Amino acid sequence: MTGVPAPPPTLDRIDRKILHELMQDATLPVTQLAERVGLSQTPCWKRVQKLEAAGVITGRVAIVDPVSIGLGLCVFVEIEAADHTPEWRASFAGVVADYPEIQEVHRMAGEVDYLLKVVVSGMSAYDALYLDLTKRVPCRNVTSKFSMERMKSTTVLPIDTSAT
Amino acid sequence: MTGVPAPPPTLDRIDRKILHELMQDATLPVTQLAERVGLSQTPCWKRVQKLEAAGVITGRVAIVDPVSIGLGLCVFVEIEAADHTPEWRASFAGVVADYPEIQEVHRMAGEVDYLLKVVVSGMSAYDALYLDLTKRVPCRNVTSKFSMERMKSTTVLPIDTSAT
DNA sequence: GTTGAAACCAAAATAGG
DNA sequence: CCTATTTTGGTTTCAAC
C-alpha cells in the first residue's frame, strides 16, 4: 500500500468563495473580500493565511499577455517514450523542468505517453527546442500540434461555491 | 489587407525584468522589485502602471492547487468541427465560454480543429460536460485524452531578460 | 532617470465581546 | 465568529535635483 499523497484539507463554503474571488483578482483588498464572502475582516484574513499555509493557494502571480512579449506561438507536443522504465521517466522529468518554454507537462493515459504545452516566439524557436529536447531524451515518437488562435485561456478553476 | 491586431508596445530590458519578477511573485513590494531590476522606486512603479495600462499585465491572480479543491481530473479534448463555417466557429466560441471547467480553447492547425483543456472533479463530471457540450454544438469527432499526472505546470512565460 | 518625504490606505496583530 | 483599535508597512503622489 502506497497511501495517498495528502489528506485534502476540508474547505467550507466560505473558503471556496474566498478562493473563487482571489483566483479572479488577487489584488482585492481584504475588506472587500470579507464583505463579498459574508465575513468580517479579521476572520477573513485569517482564512486567507490558512489557505496559503496549507498550500491551497500556491502563489499570487501576474498574468502577462504572451503576444505582447513576443511569444506568438503555442504548440502542444505529444510524446511517446522510448521505453517505460522509471529511469526514462526520471530523466524526462528532469529535462522538461529545464525549459522555461515548456509551460505544462502531463503524463497521459492511452496512446500518447506525455503531452507538453510549449510557448515560444515562433517556428525557429520551436524547432530549436524540438531538436534540443529530442537530443537529450530518447523518444519513440513526437507529434507537434500548432495553435492558430488561443480562443480561451483562464487560470480560474471551476470551484463550487454553493451549498455546504 | 486585414492588418495585425495591435502594434506590440516596445519593451526594454527593464520592462522585461519587471514582468519576469511579477510573473513569479506578484506580491513583491515595489521597493524590492525596484532594486532587483536596478531602478529606484518611483520610475519602477510608473513602469508597472504603464504595463498594466497597456494590457501587457492582464491581471494578478491567486494560483490554487486543483487537487486541494477536489479537481482531480484533467482532460485534453480534441474536437473536429461538423463544418468549417464562421457560424459554427461563433457558436462554438460562445458555448465553450460558458463552461468554467474549460480552462483553455485553441483553434488548431492540422487534423484536429480545436483543442480544449478541461479540469473537473472526476469521470462522472467529465462525462456530464461531454454530453452537454456535444449536445449544444455539433461535432464530427471528439477525442478525450486523460492526464494521469501533472508533472509540470507554470504560468511564468519564458521572457528574455538579457541584452536590449 | 534620481532622492526624500508626505499622505493615504491596507495588512497584520491585538484585545474584548 | 464579531467589533474595535493599533501598529506596521506599502502604495501613491509630489517636490526638488
Side-chain angles (χ1 to χ4, degrees):
Chain A
M1 182 69 181
T2 357
V4 290
T10 177
L11 305 173
D12 66 10
R13 200 166 97 94
I14 294 178
D15 286 324
R16 292 197 302 268
K17 277 186 175 181
I18 290 173
L19 294 173
H20 181 69
E21 294 297 333
L22 293 183
M23 280 193 288
Q24 288 174 280
D25 183 9
T27 68
L28 196 66
V30 181
T31 322
Q32 288 177 51
L33 178 61
E35 75 182 26
R36 287 197 195 179
V37 304
L39 230 56
S40 62
Q41 252 202 53
T42 309
C44 179
W45 176 80
K46 280 185 181 169
R47 277 170 184 260
V48 174
Q49 298 303 311
K50 226 179 45 177
L51 290 166
E52 274 168 355
V56 177
I57 296 173
T58 59
R60 293 161 188 248
V61 303
I63 300 297
V64 169
D65 170 42
V67 174
S68 296
I69 58 173
L71 298 172
L73 183 59
C74 176
V75 190
F76 291 88
V77 187
E78 298 176 349
I79 292 178
E80 282 179 58
D83 58 77
H84 291 261
T85 60
E87 289 73 26
W88 191 94
R89 281 196 293 277
S91 156
F92 181 69
V95 169
V96 295
D98 268 1
Y99 294 90
E101 300 92 341
I102 302 177
Q103 301 282 296
E104 287 193 45
V105 178
H106 292 261
R107 186 167 55 81
M108 306 295 287
E111 290 290 299
V112 172
D113 293 324
Y114 297 89
L115 180 61
L116 279 58
K117 182 189 172 192
V118 172
V119 174
V120 284
S121 59
M123 265 304 173
S124 61
Y126 176 66
D127 194 42
L129 173 66
Y130 165 82
L131 292 173
D132 200 53
L133 185 69
T134 51
K135 188 178 71 185
R136 291 179 62 186
V137 69
C139 299
R140 179 181 308 278
N141 194 37
V142 178
T143 305
S144 306
K145 296 181 172 176
F146 298 93
S147 171
M148 293 284 101
E149 183 190 359
R150 192 180 54 149
M151 296 173 61
K152 182 178 181 177
S153 179
T154 181
T155 55
V156 180
L157 295 169
I159 198 166
D160 182 25
T161 57
S162 61
T164 179
Chain B
M1 182 71 180
T2 357
V4 289
T10 177
L11 305 173
D12 65 9
R13 199 165 97 93
I14 294 178
D15 285 324
R16 294 198 301 270
K17 276 186 175 182
I18 290 173
L19 294 173
H20 181 69
E21 293 297 332
L22 293 182
M23 281 193 286
Q24 289 174 277
D25 183 8
T27 67
L28 197 66
V30 183
T31 322
Q32 287 177 53
L33 178 61
E35 74 182 28
R36 287 198 195 180
V37 304
L39 230 57
S40 61
Q41 246 202 59
T42 309
C44 180
W45 177 82
K46 280 185 181 169
R47 277 170 185 261
V48 173
Q49 299 303 311
K50 227 180 43 177
L51 289 167
E52 273 168 356
V56 177
I57 295 175
T58 60
R60 292 162 188 246
V61 304
I63 301 298
V64 170
D65 171 42
V67 173
S68 295
I69 59 174
L71 298 172
L73 185 60
C74 175
V75 190
F76 290 89
V77 187
E78 297 177 349
I79 292 178
E80 281 179 59
D83 57 77
H84 291 260
T85 60
E87 290 74 24
W88 192 93
R89 280 197 293 277
S91 157
F92 181 69
V95 169
V96 294
D98 268 1
Y99 295 89
E101 299 93 342
I102 301 177
Q103 302 282 295
E104 289 194 43
V105 179
H106 293 261
R107 184 166 59 78
M108 306 294 288
E111 290 288 299
V112 171
D113 294 324
Y114 298 90
L115 179 60
L116 280 58
K117 182 190 171 190
V118 172
V119 173
V120 284
S121 60
M123 267 302 174
S124 61
Y126 176 66
D127 194 44
L129 172 67
Y130 165 82
L131 292 171
D132 200 53
L133 184 69
T134 52
K135 188 178 72 187
R136 290 179 64 186
V137 69
C139 299
R140 180 181 307 279
N141 194 34
V142 178
T143 304
S144 306
K145 295 181 172 177
F146 298 92
S147 170
M148 293 284 98
E149 183 191 358
R150 191 179 56 149
M151 295 173 61
K152 181 178 182 177
S153 179
T154 180
T155 56
V156 179
L157 295 169
I159 198 167
D160 183 25
T161 56
S162 60
T164 179

